[in-house]
Amino acid sequence: MFCSGDPTMFKEYWERMGDKSSITITGWQSLSYFSNTSNICWFLEPEFEKEVRRIHSVVGNAVAEDYHIVVGNGSSQLFQAALFALSPANAPHPMNVVSAVPYYSSYPALTEYLKSGLYKWAGDACNFEEEEPYIELVTSPNNPDGFIREAVVNRGKLGKLVHDLAYYWPQYTAITAPADYDLMLFTVSKCTGHAGTRIGWALVKDREVATKMTKFIELNTIGVSKDSQLRAAKILQVLSNCCECARPGETENFFKHFRGQMTERWDRLRAVVKCSDLFSLPEYPVEFCNFFGDFFEAQPAFAWLKCREYIEDCESFLKSHKIITRSGRHFGVNSKYVRISMLDRDSTFNLLLQRLSTIIQNTH
Amino acid sequence: MFCSGDPTMFKEYWERMGDKSSITITGWQSLSYFSNTSNICWFLEPEFEKEVRRIHSVVGNAVAEDYHIVVGNGSSQLFQAALFALSPANAPHPMNVVSAVPYYSSYPALTEYLKSGLYKWAGDACNFEEEEPYIELVTSPNNPDGFIREAVVNRGKLGKLVHDLAYYWPQYTAITAPADYDLMLFTVSKCTGHAGTRIGWALVKDREVATKMTKFIELNTIGVSKDSQLRAAKILQVLSNCCECARPGETENFFKHFRGQMTERWDRLRAVVKCSDLFSLPEYPVEFCNFFGDFFEAQPAFAWLKCREYIEDCESFLKSHKIITRSGRHFGVNSKYVRISMLDRDSTFNLLLQRLSTIIQNTH
């Protein structure tokens, strides 16, 4: 399952943490649809809101004060809520939705699957020439290639931006400044590894946009599981606690632990890849991380692997060697590229390295 | 909050049940996106699937064997998944979506909010004359009026049916036969009262339809909270256990307990209403219930109240007396009708009766 990005690597850490991060939900809890009727996002659990604000303040990766928080069933739903909120209801044409290649492979499908009259997929942001309103999706660090990104269209008031910051956490990249964009998306899946809870959140500057996003989620799913919000609150609480209390050298600090794991995985992957010129990997700049107080280069959740020229279809080539990846074609580029998950469990990651090594040895 | 149907009435029962229905979720559980990769619905927790099949078999309200189960973030999401699955992807015109008046007030908005090119709201099924493909929504017992319903258009192969059976449980109506329609929607919100879990399920006869519904939920929210599925499984398990083990006369049987509560509430409401000719309520036929083995008449989750002719706008009239309801206009009929929730907590229900009595006394 290298293709899906299932974050099973994190499981072992949470096992070691033991019952600290467990929760019990009684049968008589959370029956109501409502969590907080005085909040714009009336289905947002106060405990979850509190822990979201706290983790951003502890990590320093985003400004959360003065932002509205909208909770979603994962950040995919929030992405759709953002399109709904940022597209005028009565425009003569659907809003253009663009993102620079390589872009997250689900963006085109999520924009198109309902053939909405509100918005339409308009492809690579770098080729967007129309003098028309648009929404630009900025994923930073980028999925699939891990680079830090800025908007590329920059056409003033015509444009609205959605920043998908799912991977802007210190196990993956240097936290260089707290992000303060108009609309930022986060998810526990990539932060703590709890993909099965389906909990994401948006930090939204504008009250009206937050209201429309809330309306979308009300129509789409009448809110978001309270059980999972309470669980995510607990997990985030443990995370903030461990950041605030861990003494130097302690491995209990979640981000430190996984920064170490990711460094090790990337070192091992690069060591295998550089044994030949069959494959290549991106190089990332070294940046100062405010959270750790030192310099390091990005070690993304995905490896964006490029094959040598004579391999036309890298996905098929790797598949024939039992390595399942996702082709560059899905990300708006060519089939010389594939995306490989770096977040699978140890045994699976070891298998990946083994199989890559075998390919390289046999091609020599 | 008489307008929303928030099922807070059920809380007191679950409190009395104590820890039997509690669950503990450890920090290292359910990290993965996947629940069962060998199932069409790959995010369906096996434990939840088992308990869904069991409760239908215990209650006898639907045939679940040989049906695919698709889990959703509430039945609203499953309703949208059904529209997506039943509308051809490349049809020249959007599919017509119809339902007989009075229909569930959210159907038009859920069909229209994204201006989909796949389907469109075509209004009252009784007025649908086009010789075109259509999807008919059959809600039975009906929301808002509580009547048992059948499809009304009946135009052979042109039509596809979605049966919303959220209220087909023995606290509300006699279970006369196990339903065996092509596509049936259920939700824990109305069955057990756990609206905050956002868990619904579809029983789907056709494999391809189940596959397309699963695809919708994959795109829409990448699956459904595992935490809530596990919790819903536990609640349904307690429910099935109490039905199978409760001795005659015991109040622990959930359905028996709430059938009693609903009978009492309806008796009290009817007693208040019949003191004058200001308001009227529907009368339901007496039917034999296979689950209880006796005859009784429906006692729906909503009261569908009609005002006397000289009150033009029943919702405004009641609002001026501090009773918040939802106007018949939202259900495709006129403003002489309102829908009132019968599932609120005791104190709120008592307040409703008090205020209705006061109106009636003052109008004499």
Side-chain angles (χ1 to χ4, degrees):
Chain A
M1 287 307 207
F2 300 115
C3 57
S4 72
D6 206 24
T8 43
M9 175 179 78
F10 296 98
K11 192 179 176 204
E12 151 274 336
Y13 176 89
W14 293 109
E15 274 170 355
R16 256 189 310 113
M17 283 296 102
D19 283 341
K20 242 188 264 185
S21 55
S22 301
I23 60 161
T24 296
I25 305 177
T26 65
W28 59 93
Q29 247 181 285
S30 311
L31 269 78
S32 173
Y33 289 101
F34 302 96
S35 292
N36 181 359
T37 48
S38 67
N39 197 314
I40 290 177
C41 185
W42 53 266
F43 47 79
L44 172 62
E45 285 288 305
E47 197 56 28
F48 178 68
E49 175 174 10
K50 191 182 108 192
E51 294 300 337
V52 162
R53 294 190 189 278
R54 182 171 167 221
I55 191 78
H56 285 306
S57 145
V58 166
V59 173
N61 62 340
V63 175
E65 306 94 72
D66 304 327
Y67 277 74
H68 304 284
I69 293 178
V70 181
V71 63
N73 290 287
S75 55
S76 293
Q77 189 186 34
L78 289 162
F79 165 74
Q80 294 164 73
L83 297 188
F84 177 79
L86 298 176
S87 303
N90 297 310
H93 307 293
M95 180 73 117
N96 297 289
V97 180
V98 298
S99 189
V101 295
Y103 43 68
Y104 175 37
S105 52
S106 291
Y107 286 155
L110 289 182
T111 309
E112 295 281 280
Y113 74 120
L114 290 172
K115 297 192 174 179
S116 174
L118 297 177
Y119 43 77
K120 67 165 196 280
W121 179 247
D124 185 3
C126 301
N127 289 333
F128 183 70
E129 304 286 350
E130 278 70 44
E131 282 299 321
E132 287 175 7
Y134 66 91
I135 297 170
E136 182 177 350
L137 315 169
V138 184
T139 310
S140 182
N142 191 38
N143 176 356
D145 68 8
F147 286 103
I148 295 296
R149 286 193 155 189
E150 296 289 341
V152 302
V153 185
N154 298 319
R155 217 159 295 157
K157 286 194 171 164
L158 281 177
K160 290 171 179 171
L161 301 179
V162 176
H163 279 79
D164 183 343
L165 305 184
Y167 299 96
Y168 193 45
W169 296 100
Q171 67 268 50
Y172 303 121
T173 198
I175 303 302
T176 54
D180 61 354
Y181 304 106
D182 287 349
L183 200 170
M184 303 181 270
L185 305 182
F186 289 92
T187 162
V188 291
S189 308
K190 310 307 176 184
C191 171
T192 72
H194 291 83
T197 62
R198 310 304 317 117
I199 293 289
W201 66 93
L203 302 180
V204 186
K205 208 175 247 176
D206 186 75
R207 186 185 169 87
E208 201 187 318
V209 173
T211 305
K212 279 189 76 179
M213 286 180 72
T214 299
K215 186 69 192 171
F216 175 90
I217 294 174
E218 178 184 328
L219 287 162
N220 199 215
T221 55
I222 322 188
V224 176
S225 161
K226 290 187 176 186
D227 312 313
S228 284
Q229 286 188 66
L230 295 175
R231 185 166 180 230
K234 184 67 181 179
I235 302 280
L236 292 177
Q237 185 191 57
V238 171
L239 222 59
S240 288
N241 286 352
C242 85
C243 291
E244 288 183 337
C245 307
R247 279 154 302 197
E250 258 186 47
T251 58
E252 266 66 29
N253 182 317
F254 175 89
F255 294 113
K256 190 165 184 175
H257 176 76
F258 282 108
R259 177 178 152 178
Q261 279 233 16
M262 294 302 288
T263 304
E264 196 206 309
R265 286 189 173 195
W266 271 94
D267 287 350
R268 291 175 63 204
L269 178 66
R270 287 194 190 275
V272 168
V273 164
K274 78 171 177 199
C275 293
S276 84
D277 59 356
L278 198 56
F279 304 114
S280 63
L281 287 166
E283 297 291 336
Y284 302 101
V286 168
E287 304 254 26
F288 186 78
C289 177
N290 293 328
F291 180 75
F292 286 119
D294 63 5
F295 287 89
F296 77 107
E297 62 177 70
Q299 38 195 41
F302 295 104
W304 183 235
L305 195 77
K306 191 182 178 187
C307 284
R308 275 298 296 277
E309 292 67 31
Y310 62 85
I311 300 172
E312 273 308 315
D313 184 336
C314 190
E315 182 188 77
S316 302
F317 173 72
L318 290 171
K319 197 175 171 190
S320 72
H321 293 86
K322 291 191 182 169
I323 300 175
I324 307 293
T325 62
R326 192 176 290 177
S327 169
R329 285 191 315 274
H330 301 295
F331 303 90
V333 295
N334 63 49
S335 54
K336 296 252 181 280
Y337 290 89
V338 293
R339 191 191 78 168
I340 305 180
S341 172
M342 296 291 283
L343 303 185
D344 219 309
R345 67 199 82 213
D346 276 340
S347 55
T348 318
F349 185 73
N350 290 337
L351 219 52
L352 167 69
L353 295 190
Q354 246 174 52
R355 289 181 184 167
L356 278 179
S357 296
T358 309
I359 298 173
I360 287 170
Q361 280 157 16
N362 293 343
T363 320
H364 265 290
Chain B
M1 289 305 210
F2 300 116
C3 58
S4 72
D6 205 24
T8 43
M9 175 178 78
F10 296 97
K11 191 178 176 205
E12 152 274 336
Y13 176 89
W14 293 109
E15 274 170 355
R16 256 189 312 113
M17 284 297 101
D19 283 340
K20 241 188 267 184
S21 56
S22 300
I23 59 160
T24 295
I25 305 178
T26 66
W28 60 91
Q29 246 181 287
S30 312
L31 269 79
S32 172
Y33 289 102
F34 303 95
S35 293
N36 182 358
T37 48
S38 67
N39 197 315
I40 290 178
C41 186
W42 53 265
F43 47 78
L44 173 62
E45 285 288 306
E47 198 55 30
F48 178 68
E49 175 175 9
K50 189 182 109 190
E51 294 301 337
V52 162
R53 293 189 189 279
R54 182 171 167 222
I55 192 79
H56 285 306
S57 144
V58 166
V59 172
N61 62 340
V63 175
E65 306 96 72
D66 304 327
Y67 277 75
H68 303 284
I69 294 179
V70 181
V71 64
N73 290 287
S75 55
S76 293
Q77 188 186 33
L78 290 162
F79 166 72
Q80 294 164 73
L83 296 189
F84 176 78
L86 298 176
S87 302
N90 297 309
H93 306 293
M95 181 71 118
N96 297 288
V97 179
V98 299
S99 189
V101 297
Y103 44 67
Y104 175 37
S105 51
S106 291
Y107 286 155
L110 289 181
T111 310
E112 296 280 283
Y113 74 120
L114 291 172
K115 297 192 176 181
S116 174
L118 298 177
Y119 43 77
K120 68 166 199 277
W121 180 247
D124 185 4
C126 300
N127 289 334
F128 184 71
E129 305 284 350
E130 278 71 43
E131 282 299 319
E132 287 175 8
Y134 66 91
I135 297 169
E136 181 176 351
L137 315 168
V138 184
T139 310
S140 181
N142 191 39
N143 176 356
D145 68 8
F147 285 104
I148 295 296
R149 285 192 155 191
E150 295 290 340
V152 302
V153 184
N154 299 318
R155 218 160 292 158
K157 286 193 173 166
L158 281 177
K160 290 171 177 170
L161 300 179
V162 176
H163 280 79
D164 183 342
L165 306 184
Y167 300 96
Y168 192 46
W169 295 102
Q171 67 269 49
Y172 303 121
T173 198
I175 303 301
T176 54
D180 60 354
Y181 304 107
D182 287 349
L183 201 169
M184 303 182 269
L185 305 181
F186 289 92
T187 164
V188 292
S189 308
K190 309 307 176 185
C191 170
T192 73
H194 292 83
T197 62
R198 311 304 316 119
I199 294 289
W201 66 93
L203 302 180
V204 186
K205 210 176 248 175
D206 185 76
R207 185 185 170 88
E208 201 188 320
V209 173
T211 305
K212 281 189 76 178
M213 288 180 71
T214 299
K215 186 71 193 170
F216 176 90
I217 293 174
E218 179 185 325
L219 287 162
N220 199 213
T221 54
I222 323 189
V224 175
S225 161
K226 289 188 178 186
D227 313 313
S228 285
Q229 286 189 65
L230 294 175
R231 183 163 182 234
K234 184 66 180 182
I235 302 280
L236 291 178
Q237 185 190 57
V238 172
L239 222 59
S240 287
N241 287 351
C242 85
C243 290
E244 289 183 337
C245 309
R247 278 155 303 197
E250 260 186 43
T251 57
E252 267 65 30
N253 182 317
F254 175 90
F255 295 113
K256 190 166 183 172
H257 175 77
F258 282 107
R259 177 179 150 176
Q261 279 235 18
M262 294 301 289
T263 304
E264 195 206 312
R265 286 190 172 193
W266 272 94
D267 285 351
R268 291 174 63 204
L269 177 66
R270 287 193 190 276
V272 168
V273 163
K274 79 172 178 199
C275 292
S276 85
D277 58 359
L278 198 56
F279 304 113
S280 63
L281 287 165
E283 297 290 337
Y284 302 102
V286 169
E287 305 254 25
F288 187 78
C289 176
N290 293 329
F291 180 75
F292 286 120
D294 63 5
F295 287 88
F296 78 106
E297 64 176 70
Q299 36 194 42
F302 296 104
W304 184 236
L305 195 76
K306 191 181 179 186
C307 282
R308 275 298 295 277
E309 291 68 31
Y310 63 85
I311 301 173
E312 274 307 314
D313 183 339
C314 190
E315 183 189 76
S316 301
F317 173 74
L318 290 171
K319 196 174 173 191
S320 72
H321 293 87
K322 293 191 181 169
I323 300 174
I324 308 292
T325 62
R326 192 176 291 175
S327 168
R329 284 191 314 274
H330 301 293
F331 303 89
V333 296
N334 64 48
S335 54
K336 295 252 179 283
Y337 290 88
V338 293
R339 191 192 78 168
I340 304 179
S341 172
M342 296 292 283
L343 303 185
D344 219 309
R345 66 199 83 214
D346 275 341
S347 55
T348 318
F349 184 73
N350 290 336
L351 218 53
L352 166 70
L353 294 190
Q354 246 175 52
R355 289 181 183 167
L356 277 179
S357 296
T358 309
I359 298 172
I360 287 169
Q361 279 157 19
N362 293 344
T363 319
H364 266 290

